Structures are given as structure tokens and as C-alpha cells.
Amino acid sequence: MKALKVALAFIALMIGTASANAGGIFRFGPKVGLTVNELHFNNSTFDSSNKTGWTAGLMTEFKMPVIGIGADLSLMYVRRNSEFMVSNQIAKDNRDYIEIPLNLRYSFSLPLINNVVLPYVAVGPSISMLTSHKQITEGFANKSVDWALNFGIGVQLIKHIDVSARYGLGLTKAAKVVDSDVKGAGIEGKNRYWTISVAYLF
């Protein structure tokens, strides 16, 4: 139900942005990609190994012409996988999220080839809402909401194909020990991830 409300709010925001878009360029389209995720714990004994996941959803872009400043907002379904040692056993944590990243962009103008290749840099926050199970293993659980700060680079090809790579720095706890009797009480893990994605903008 929460994910549905988020999706409806996102659609309403898209419509409102398009309606208010008098001086800029508004576009949207499907977006897919791969993620490489690890849980970074506050105790190196628990640090996880990198695992590959995937993401798919819808992206919108708003761009002011000439000055190169814009923004993009996405609604993505994300699978983040991780694996770490706890109590001498391997714990696998495959998590599903609804993620909403918002990025501010600056595009670099390249005379004569802007219509073919347009590179940009981006930065902004994202919120991810857990849609899968909370329990990882005995005493370990995922948090319902995760905030991150994204840093990215990308390029738009022939005006429509958007290819990007971004690094997500988790700001809040994504997983933690919830049972004080479990070895490692006080241990918390934050998401660290790379996302490589491709979008087609209409």
C-alpha cells in the first residue's frame, strides 16, 4: 500500500511538473540497470562482499535550455543483494526496494556535437522503501527506509538515450542487530552501491 501511494504521488508530481514547464524541456521514459551493492558495517568483522542486483522503472528529466542546468527524478524498483558473515555463518540478504532518486544535473556544452553526445555530472538524495522481508537472520533485520546521497556522471546520446553511473553513499542504517543477546549487538550496516543504468527519454 505504501509503495502504491508513492507511485501515485510520483505520477502527480510528473503531471504537475509538465504543466508548470513553460521555459524548460520536460521528458520521461523507461530506465533499467544493474547495481553492485555491499553493506558497510561499523565493525569490519561484519563487512559484506559486493553482490550484483538490478533495477527498473521510470525516469523524468527537466532541463533548462542554454545554461545546462537541470534535474532528473526516477521511480525505480531495485534489488540489492549482499552477503556477510555473522556467528561464523554466511548470511545472504536479498532486499527489494522502491527507490526515488532526485538528482541535480549540469550538462557540458560541446559545440557542434551537442545533439549527438552531451556529458553531464549529477548529485542528489534518494529515498528507498523496503518492500521485501525485514528479517535477515536471527537478531539481524533490515530497516524500512534508507536515505542515501548519490554522485554520478553520465552522457546523453542522440538526445534520447541516457547512460549513467552513480555511486550511492548510504546515510542511514540499512540493517542492524535487533536482539541484544546476539553476538555483535550494536553493529549497524549502511548501503554502499554503484548503479549503471540506461534510459530512453521521449
Side-chain angles (χ1 to χ4, degrees):
M1 184 60 70
K2 181 186 290 186
L4 177 60
K5 290 180 180 179
V6 170
L8 291 175
F10 180 84
I11 293 171
L13 180 61
M14 283 178 52
I15 295 172
T17 303
S19 300
N21 177 31
I25 301 170
F26 177 82
R27 301 189 299 169
F28 67 95
K31 181 179 179 179
V32 296
L34 294 176
T35 66
V36 179
N37 183 83
E38 72 165 332
L39 278 171
H40 185 80
F41 289 93
N42 57 352
N43 185 318
S44 60
T45 304
F46 287 77
D47 277 355
S48 67
S49 55
N50 292 331
K51 293 295 178 181
T52 302
W54 55 273
T55 182
L58 182 66
M59 170 183 165
T60 67
E61 179 199 50
F62 177 79
K63 184 164 54 178
M64 295 298 294
V66 182
I67 62 176
I69 296 176
D72 67 74
L73 179 67
S74 300
L75 177 67
M76 307 298 294
Y77 189 89
V78 182
R79 164 60 65 91
R80 293 198 178 114
N81 299 324
S82 60
E83 186 176 283
F84 59 94
M85 293 292 296
V86 56
S87 301
N88 297 320
Q89 294 183 339
I90 296 177
K92 294 184 178 181
D93 186 18
N94 302 325
R95 290 157 291 149
D96 296 323
Y97 291 95
I98 296 295
E99 181 187 20
I100 304 178
L102 171 63
N103 296 303
L104 298 178
R105 292 188 178 198
Y106 180 77
S107 300
F108 297 94
S109 178
L110 301 176
L112 302 180
I113 62 171
N114 276 348
N115 291 337
V116 179
V117 178
L118 185 65
Y120 64 85
V121 294
V123 62
S126 72
I127 181 173
S128 299
M129 289 155 287
L130 188 71
T131 61
S132 59
H133 63 282
K134 286 189 176 182
Q135 195 70 24
I136 303 173
T137 184
E138 183 181 357
F140 263 82
N142 292 310
K143 303 290 286 183
S144 298
V145 177
D146 181 37
W147 285 91
L149 183 62
N150 295 317
F151 305 89
I153 58 173
V155 62
Q156 288 193 351
L157 306 173
I158 57 174
K159 289 188 174 182
H160 294 285
I161 301 174
D162 189 285
V163 182
S164 66
R166 62 185 172 95
Y167 179 73
L169 181 66
L171 302 177
T172 55
K173 292 170 283 191
K176 65 176 293 185
V177 173
V178 294
D179 188 343
S180 59
D181 294 329
V182 173
K183 181 180 178 181
I187 300 301
E188 302 167 348
K190 296 181 179 181
N191 277 320
R192 300 284 191 272
Y193 54 87
W194 282 96
T195 303
I196 309 296
S197 60
V198 178
Y200 188 89
L201 301 174
F202 296 96

